[in-house]
Amino acid sequence: MRIRRNKTTLLTAVGAALLLGLTACAPAGSAGPGGVDDSGDAPATGDGPYNLEIAESPEFEEGTTMAELAEAGTLRVGTKFDQPLFGLQGPDGNPVGFDVAIAALVAAELGIPFENIEWSEAISSVRESFLETDQVDIVVATYTINDARKERIGFAGPYFEAGQSILVAAGNPEGIEGPEDVEGLPVCSVEGSTPAATIADEYGAELLAAGAYSDCLDPLRNGQVVAVTTDNVILSGFVDQNPGEFELVGDTFTEEPYGIGVPLGDDAFRTFINDVLEEAYEDGTWARLFEETAGVVLDTPEPPAVDRY
Amino acid sequence: MQFLIESGDVLLEGFLATLRMLALTFLLALPLGVVLAVMRISPVPSLRWVATGFTELLRNTPLTLVFFLLVFVMPRLGVIIDFQFSAIVALTLYTAPFFSEAIRSGVNSVPVGQAEAARSIGLTFGQTARHVILPQAVRSVIPPILNVTIALTKNTSVAGGFLVFELFASSRRLANAYANETILIFVVIALCYLAITIPLGRLADALEKKVAVLR
């Protein structure tokens, strides 16, 4: 029987290896970038992985979204699951990153602890409809504020200013210094994203569009594309995940203010979130959350001014 | 409808890319399917085994995995080909077995006595297949062949997730540019696919009427 058991083990191992191979795009499950620093020097006073103070039975005006959410005791959040540093699903199923920390901050001010947040994956193309069809209460998902989107939903924030940048293979074999240098050259980005449209329409690159940013890394390794382009923070995550393989070149050449999506016309809720953000800017919570997540790789910037339109 | 007025060219480009992919794959996969079918009914065991193995392997693998192998795995093994070309190869490899099975079922609809009679007057296997079996099989082959072609039309959308610009990819591009019209965009994209598949269905009906035989 021993032989048979060995066979089974071998088969299991082969199966596991195949599965691993097939999901090779997925980053190794580590609390690396965007993970939580478990070194033990964080004060264990607050709640959840981000040590946030949970508001004690906060008072809200009758009938507002805040009152309803505080009453229900849960917050449904749409975020990214595949973006290192901002929203990356960890091995325990919960996402980690700066977007996740910001969502947890909003929940905390509503008196909702981290374990009562319901996370859903909100890929780029479904973010508006998630809010319109009431599948989530807020969307925090590297969500660039723009006018077309404002027709369908409301934005609180911005809580972070990203900018489009360019990723090349280590050593920069093509000598690319900025977006002007990729005209007519094959560049990878994600189909249906703002950076993809920018590099193709404004800089004349030959766009090769993938389904996810991680799908752009292999073509770059193989020289099938000369560069990958999207927001600098996402690219930084890849540089960090693949040491010695890639580098960022040049400065950012667009402004991508990340906002928090809420249902259209819920101005009271937007105002509340803006107040929460401004308070977090003031008392240093915003900076602390950034340092514990994206700050592992990025320099902590000055918080942006919220836009109360 | 703003997106149609301003970005109709994006939609058209996607539509043409899908059509081109469909046509090229059809022209490559159908002959390959015929070869596989002939191998499967041939009297040579080794040919039968090879064709059966290939058919079963490709037919039972998800198309996405076939794409994944060609687009992400082959380059790691040093085979670097253009993404457009990879897509055609993936679709061809995946579709040929379906064509082959459609053809084989048509061949099986020809009474075995036909083959026996052909062999008894001294025709070789090649001659029997070419002059007796296949001409009769064509009649019952047309509907399933067009079914597979309709499925192939929809399968081309998988290429949109593998660095190829086509109709499905154009829908995502438009949905980002016109976030307030996404539902309309998806409806129009669906209509574009129907504009390909419905005529194919009609063609199948017409051809079938034309070559129908009373048995």
Side-chain angles (χ1 to χ4, degrees):
Chain A
M1 290 322 287
R2 175 181 301 172
I3 291 174
R4 176 163 297 178
R5 200 168 51 232
N6 282 351
K7 228 183 203 162
T8 323
T9 325
L10 182 69
L11 276 177
T12 317
V14 168
L18 272 175
L19 274 175
L20 279 175
L22 293 177
T23 54
C25 300
S30 73
V36 183
D37 181 18
D38 286 337
S39 54
D41 51 13
T45 51
D47 160 84
Y50 302 107
N51 290 318
L52 292 160
E53 290 289 322
I54 303 296
E56 290 283 335
S57 48
E59 293 287 318
F60 297 112
E61 209 171 308
E62 199 63 37
T64 56
T65 309
M66 295 79 82
E68 283 168 22
L69 292 171
E71 178 70 25
T74 60
L75 181 70
R76 297 166 307 159
V77 180
T79 188
K80 290 278 173 80
F81 278 11
D82 64 344
Q83 293 194 349
L85 306 182
F86 276 69
L88 184 68
Q89 195 172 26
D92 65 348
N94 278 335
V96 291
F98 187 55
D99 278 348
V100 176
I102 291 290
L105 173 73
V106 174
E109 294 296 325
L110 290 164
I112 298 165
F114 188 82
E115 66 261 23
N116 289 356
I117 301 176
E118 288 175 25
W119 303 101
S120 327
E121 183 175 20
I123 60 169
S124 295
S125 50
V126 302
R127 292 177 297 199
E128 296 87 20
S129 60
F130 259 31
L131 287 164
E132 287 172 334
T133 55
D134 192 33
Q135 295 182 59
V136 294
D137 300 311
I138 60 172
V139 169
V140 196
T142 56
Y143 202 0
T144 301
I145 299 173
N146 70 32
D147 289 338
R149 288 169 178 165
K150 277 183 184 172
E151 286 182 27
R152 291 179 63 185
I153 60 155
F155 278 108
Y159 59 92
F160 184 76
E161 287 270 1
Q164 187 171 351
S165 185
I166 291 179
L167 182 79
V168 296
N172 197 358
E174 302 280 337
I176 291 164
E177 299 300 330
E180 298 79 15
D181 297 343
V182 296
E183 193 178 340
L185 296 174
V187 173
C188 188
S189 190
V190 161
E191 187 57 80
S193 67
T194 313
T198 304
I199 205 76
D201 300 343
E202 291 179 31
Y203 295 100
E206 183 203 334
L207 175 67
L208 289 161
Y213 290 113
S214 48
D215 288 348
C216 283
L217 301 183
D218 255 21
L220 181 58
R221 287 187 183 107
N222 301 325
Q224 291 165 292
V225 298
V226 299
V228 177
T229 184
T230 179
D231 297 355
N232 56 338
V233 292
I234 297 167
L235 297 176
S236 303
F238 292 133
V239 172
D240 180 67
Q241 273 182 348
N242 305 281
E245 281 202 78
F246 307 117
E247 59 182 72
L248 282 172
V249 291
D251 297 323
T252 56
F253 50 94
T254 62
E255 286 176 2
E256 308 284 344
Y258 290 169
I260 298 174
V262 300
L264 187 64
D266 196 342
D267 292 350
F269 194 28
R270 259 195 319 128
T271 306
F272 164 77
I273 296 177
N274 282 333
D275 292 344
V276 169
L277 288 173
E278 280 186 343
E279 193 186 335
Y281 296 169
E282 295 291 314
D283 67 11
T285 308
W286 183 90
R288 178 176 69 81
L289 292 176
F290 192 86
E291 279 156 20
E292 286 178 10
T293 53
V296 175
V297 177
L298 304 169
D299 296 332
T300 306
E302 283 298 307
V306 300
D307 170 24
R308 297 174 186 269
Y309 62 89
Chain B
M1 290 314 267
Q2 202 189 349
F3 78 92
L4 271 181
I5 299 154
E6 291 174 6
S7 298
D9 57 333
V10 173
L11 191 68
L12 185 68
E13 198 188 333
F15 185 72
L16 292 176
T18 288
L19 267 183
R20 196 170 49 235
M21 225 178 344
L22 171 66
L24 283 171
T25 307
F26 183 85
L27 291 176
L28 290 168
L30 191 59
L32 184 58
V34 172
V35 169
L36 282 172
V38 171
M39 282 167 76
R40 282 198 73 166
I41 56 172
S42 78
V44 185
S46 58
L47 286 184
R48 283 208 303 271
W49 295 333
V50 169
T52 308
F54 180 81
T55 300
E56 291 304 325
L57 182 69
L58 268 299
R59 203 172 51 146
N60 296 308
T61 308
L63 177 58
T64 316
L65 270 186
V66 179
F67 264 96
F68 191 89
L69 278 168
L70 276 157
V71 176
F72 294 118
V73 179
M74 296 305 273
R76 291 216 172 184
L77 304 174
V79 185
I80 295 182
I81 44 177
D82 183 75
F83 295 118
Q84 302 265 0
F85 189 67
S86 296
I88 303 275
V89 173
L91 285 165
T92 299
L93 289 176
Y94 179 82
T95 311
F98 285 95
F99 278 141
S100 144
E101 290 301 279
I103 291 161
R104 208 166 59 96
S105 70
V107 167
N108 287 341
S109 73
V110 178
V112 73
Q114 296 280 329
E116 287 165 349
R119 296 303 297 244
S120 73
I121 58 169
L123 298 183
T124 63
F125 168 76
Q127 289 169 321
T128 307
R130 203 162 51 243
H131 299 299
V132 180
I133 307 284
L134 290 179
Q136 295 187 69
V138 162
R139 290 164 181 162
S140 38
V141 155
I142 286 170
I145 288 274
L146 277 145
N147 267 342
V148 173
T149 310
I150 287 170
L152 165 63
T153 308
K154 295 176 290 179
N155 283 343
T156 56
S157 64
V158 175
F162 289 90
L163 299 115
V164 176
F165 182 75
E166 44 66 76
L167 200 47
F168 171 65
S170 71
S171 77
R172 284 189 293 167
R173 189 171 299 184
L174 291 168
N176 183 61
Y178 303 92
N180 45 354
E181 295 185 335
T182 37
I183 292 166
L184 190 65
I185 289 168
F186 283 113
V187 168
V188 169
I189 296 285
L191 289 175
C192 288
Y193 278 108
L194 290 178
I196 300 173
T197 52
I198 288 179
L200 280 176
R202 293 260 163 244
L203 180 69
D205 293 346
L207 279 174
E208 210 183 345
K209 280 202 182 74
K210 206 169 169 173
V211 299
V213 277
L214 295 169
R215 288 216 168 90

